[in-house]
């Protein structure tokens, strides 16, 4: 190792950005060279992407310039795409250069998991980035315009959301709110617009409180959402989807929110993975690599019941804080701290003024849950950017 250790952080999502911010707070000047690599020059708030995707908010409100978050005297930011990770050489290959490291943090984010369903990767949209939600928004508006030219094509006005997890439910809540405005804008009969939510599991929001799930489904059904629960998508085609025992639903818009896997770069690097995720040790390190930490969608951790934690923003943030602490401890030859997840609660938006959630051991629904969702979003802005960011972005979330 060099006299000043080199820390390279791959990805500026929740895990990567929290690791960076904590390191710049805890490290002394010249105690380590820290480099943050991200393919965009902004950090985007993944839990807010469902709104610009539906068109109920502007995409720019879901992103924050990285330069406004980090101290350039403590963190070097490199805008580039990671091409390869070489743990045996302690190097990361970028599209335009190479970085060597003493300590590596892999927080590259996940990729859509299609579970091998034919046609999904080719024909479905996914809510995964600022660019992807901009495309979805423009596509939805385009379908209304197309219908006005070809009024016999009602499939233009049929929207299918595959998956009834948090992303799917939050998106259809926003889309259902947006439809009346689009109908008014394009002079389209609202009764012609169909929004389907298709979920293979026996319930929407699997694993969530059944009472709140029932309330949420009722709210969305009143907004016009058609649920097909316990129904698997068998195939996605250019004409729509095939579900269940062969039923075809014609649509020009299929949005897949049914799962996330880890990153293929991790598999290609030779790490032992499950669906692209590394089963990390109690300190968030990759087994056999005491200098490599893996966070967020790229990591696999199990709770006391032996079930994997879902890859949420909440767990990625807590991992980032713990990872930074352990990196500092490692550099200073101090004792690392095991990661222990503290569940602060979960809230799902159902559109304007409606949400469901569990926090502080209590159930919340309706407007109160919606306020709670807002408070959680504001808290995150405060954590990464303080009062200035809250004042600048808070009104949009």
């Amino acid at each position: 190792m060099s006299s000043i250790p080199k820390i390279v952080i791959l990805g500026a999502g929740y895990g990567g950005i929290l690791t960076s911010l904590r390191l710049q707070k805890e490290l002394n000047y010249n105690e380590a060279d820290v480099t943050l690599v991200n393919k965009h020059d902004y950090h985007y708030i993944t839990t807010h992407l469902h709104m610009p995707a539906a068109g109920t908010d502007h995409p720019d409100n879901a992103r924050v310039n990285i330069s406004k978050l980090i101290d350039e005297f403590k963190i070097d930011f490199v805008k580039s795409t990671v091409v390869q990770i070489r743990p045996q050489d302690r190097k990361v290959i970028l599209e335009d250069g190479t970085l060597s490291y003493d300590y590596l943090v892999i927080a590259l984010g996940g990729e859509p998991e299609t579970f091998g369903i034919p046609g999904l990767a080719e024909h479905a949209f996914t809510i995964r980035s600022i660019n992807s939600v901009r495309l979805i928004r423009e596509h939805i508006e385009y379908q209304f315009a197309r219908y006005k030219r070809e009024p016999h094509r009602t499939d233009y006005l049929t929207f299918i959301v595959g998956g009834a997890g948090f992303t799917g439910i939050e998106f259809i809540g926003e889309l259902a709110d947006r439809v009346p405005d689009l109908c008014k804008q394009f002079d389209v009969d609202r009764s012609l617009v169909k929004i389907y939510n298709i979920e293979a599991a026996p319930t929407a929001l699997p694993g969530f409180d059944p009472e709140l799930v029932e309330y949420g489904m009722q709210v969305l059904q009143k907004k016009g959402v058609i649920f097909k629960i316990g129904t698997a998508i068998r195939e996605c085609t250019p004409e729509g989807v095939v579900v269940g025992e062969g039923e075809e639903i014609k649509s020009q818009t299929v949005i897949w929110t049914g799962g996330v896997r880890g990153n293929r770069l991790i598999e290609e690097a030779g790490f032992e993975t499950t669906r692209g995720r590394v089963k990390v040790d109690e300190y968030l390190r990759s087994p056999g690599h005491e200098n490599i930490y893996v966070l967020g969608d790229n990591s696999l951790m199990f709770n006391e019941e032996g079930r994997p934690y879902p890859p949420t923003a909440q767990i990625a943030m807590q991992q980032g804080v713990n990872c930074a602490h352990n990196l500092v401890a490692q550099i200073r030859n101090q004792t690392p701290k095991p990661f222990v997840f503290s569940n602060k609660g979960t809230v799902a938006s159902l559109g304007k003024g409606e949400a469901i959630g569990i926090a502080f051991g209590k159930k919340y629904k309706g407007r109160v849950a919606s306020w709670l969702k807002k408070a959680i979003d504001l808290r995150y802005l405060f954590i990464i950017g303080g009062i200035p960011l809250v004042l600048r972005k808070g009104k949009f979330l």
Side-chain angles (χ1 to χ4, degrees):
M1 282 194 190
S2 62
S3 56
I4 299 179
K6 295 178 182 177
I7 301 172
V8 173
I9 301 165
L10 304 181
Y14 291 99
I17 208 73
L18 262 293
T19 301
S20 302
L21 294 176
R22 280 300 175 120
L23 283 176
Q24 79 178 19
K25 183 178 180 181
E26 295 183 25
L27 285 172
N28 299 317
Y29 283 101
N30 297 322
E31 194 172 7
D33 284 335
V34 183
T35 301
L36 172 63
V37 181
N38 199 56
K39 64 181 175 181
H40 304 295
D41 58 7
Y42 55 82
H43 161 75
Y44 59 83
I45 303 167
T46 311
T47 56
H48 189 68
L49 290 180
H50 59 281
M51 295 179 71
T56 54
D57 196 8
H58 196 281
D60 286 348
N61 295 333
R63 69 182 191 179
V64 184
N65 286 344
I66 291 171
S67 62
K68 293 186 180 298
L69 300 178
I70 62 171
D71 179 350
E72 61 184 10
F73 294 106
K74 283 195 169 184
I75 309 259
D76 290 324
F77 172 62
V78 175
K79 180 185 174 185
S80 188
T81 299
V82 179
V83 175
Q84 188 181 25
I85 302 168
R86 292 184 183 170
Q88 67 278 11
D89 301 324
R90 295 196 173 194
K91 291 185 185 300
V92 175
I93 311 303
L94 308 179
E95 62 181 355
D96 50 6
T98 302
L99 291 174
S100 59
Y101 64 83
D102 297 310
Y103 301 99
L104 181 66
V105 179
I106 303 175
L108 287 167
E111 300 172 353
E113 174 60 272
T114 61
F115 302 104
I117 299 171
L120 264 185
E122 295 80 10
H123 306 301
F125 296 92
T126 56
I127 300 173
R128 294 301 303 164
S129 67
I130 295 291
N131 291 331
S132 73
V133 300
R134 192 180 281 122
L135 181 62
I136 291 169
R137 173 184 184 152
E138 291 174 357
H139 173 84
I140 290 170
E141 293 171 354
Y142 180 48
Q143 300 316 298
F144 278 81
R146 290 177 80 189
Y147 172 75
K148 294 304 291 183
R149 296 187 64 176
E150 302 175 75
H152 62 287
R153 292 290 301 272
T154 53
D155 58 325
Y156 292 154
L157 301 180
T158 299
F159 302 94
I160 296 172
V161 179
F166 278 85
T167 302
I169 289 295
E170 292 192 319
F171 173 70
I172 58 173
E174 295 297 324
L175 181 58
D177 284 350
R178 179 90 196 286
V179 162
D181 293 335
L182 288 169
C183 288
K184 188 175 180 180
Q185 180 182 344
F186 290 93
D187 196 23
V188 168
D189 183 349
R190 171 65 182 87
S191 67
L192 296 174
V193 181
K194 301 285 189 290
I195 302 174
Y196 287 93
N197 186 214
I198 304 172
E199 170 59 58
T203 175
L205 297 174
F208 202 58
D209 181 84
E211 179 190 342
L212 293 178
V213 172
E214 184 179 351
Y215 173 85
M217 289 181 67
Q218 288 174 356
V219 167
L220 295 171
Q221 283 168 333
K222 286 177 184 175
K223 292 185 179 187
V225 176
I226 303 163
F227 285 99
K228 283 186 169 289
I229 304 298
T231 304
I233 293 178
R234 302 295 181 191
E235 184 180 1
C236 182
T237 72
E239 287 76 43
V241 295
V242 178
V243 301
E245 299 303 314
E247 177 190 359
E248 185 178 6
I249 304 174
K250 291 189 177 298
S251 169
Q252 290 296 301
T253 310
V254 179
I255 297 159
W256 177 247
T257 68
V260 178
R261 71 188 311 282
N263 198 290
R264 294 178 197 280
L265 288 173
I266 300 172
E267 294 171 314
E268 292 167 6
F271 294 100
E272 187 176 333
T273 62
T274 301
R275 284 173 53 193
R277 291 193 174 104
V278 176
K279 184 181 177 182
V280 295
D281 68 13
E282 60 183 331
Y283 304 113
L284 304 176
R285 298 178 303 200
S286 171
H289 300 276
E290 292 200 348
N291 64 327
I292 299 179
Y293 295 79
V294 188
L295 312 181
D297 291 346
N298 302 153
S299 70
L300 184 61
M301 297 197 76
F302 295 86
N303 61 20
E304 294 173 353
E305 299 169 354
R307 295 179 179 175
Y309 285 114
T312 62
Q314 182 182 179
I315 195 169
M317 289 167 60
Q318 292 182 29
Q319 286 179 329
V321 172
N322 181 262
C323 176
H325 178 277
N326 287 345
L327 280 165
V328 174
Q330 213 168 353
I331 289 169
R332 296 175 181 170
N333 292 316
Q334 296 171 347
T335 305
K337 185 166 65 176
F339 175 76
V340 179
F341 176 55
S342 173
N343 192 342
K344 308 294 185 187
T346 309
V347 183
S349 168
L350 302 172
K352 190 172 183 179
E354 281 282 1
I356 51 175
I358 297 176
F360 317 112
K362 290 185 176 181
K363 300 177 187 179
Y364 298 89
K365 56 189 178 184
R367 192 162 293 278
V368 175
S370 181
W371 290 336
L372 185 60
K373 172 85 171 171
K374 174 88 171 176
I376 292 169
D377 290 340
L378 292 175
R379 177 178 177 269
Y380 178 67
L381 292 179
F382 179 76
I383 287 171
I384 64 171
I387 293 293
L389 186 59
V390 171
L391 294 176
R392 196 165 74 248
K393 291 280 188 183
K395 58 182 177 291
F396 300 116
L397 299 186

